[in-house]
């Protein structure tokens, strides 16, 4: 998984999964537009554990599915 992918490709390839992206390509608002996928899976906690193991210098974790109605996100 060392190829650079766009967010469209990531969303198509890893539908409804949590994705660890190393060296994400971002815009001025820090919206992720692509990067190198280092890990992915349905279990969010596992993806976070892999991020701790891999220790990428710059990364993003994104969810490629739809959030359920009435979901609250805390940053």
């Amino acid at each position: 998984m060392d190829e650079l992918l766009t967010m469209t490709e990531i969303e198509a390839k890893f539908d409804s999964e949590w994705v660890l992206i190393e060296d994400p390509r971002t815009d001025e608002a820090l919206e992720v537009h692509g990067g190198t996928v280092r890990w992915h899976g349905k279990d969010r906690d596992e993806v976070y554990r892999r991020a701790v193991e891999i220790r990428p210098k710059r990364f993003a974790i994104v969810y490629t599915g739809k959030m359920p109605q009435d979901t609250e996100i805390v940053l």
Side-chain angles (χ1 to χ4, degrees), residues 27-70:
D27 60 18
E28 301 80 33
L30 297 180
E31 183 178 343
V32 179
H33 292 280
T36 303
V37 175
R38 293 297 308 271
W39 194 262
H40 63 92
K42 300 279 185 189
D43 183 356
R44 180 191 66 173
D45 292 336
E46 178 62 25
V47 175
Y48 276 88
R49 280 191 288 275
R50 293 298 178 157
V52 171
E53 286 178 20
I54 296 169
R55 301 180 68 92
K57 290 184 180 186
R58 190 166 172 269
F59 69 96
I61 295 177
V62 298
Y63 181 66
T64 60
K66 301 283 185 215
M67 289 293 185
Q69 187 84 18
D70 300 326

Side-chain angles (χ1 to χ4, degrees), residues 1 3 5 7-15 17 40:
M1 281 190 247
E3 66 180 305
L5 300 174
M7 276 309 299
T8 302
E9 293 169 322
I10 291 169
E11 289 167 350
K13 206 169 190 178
F14 309 108
D15 184 39
E17 291 191 33
H40 63 92

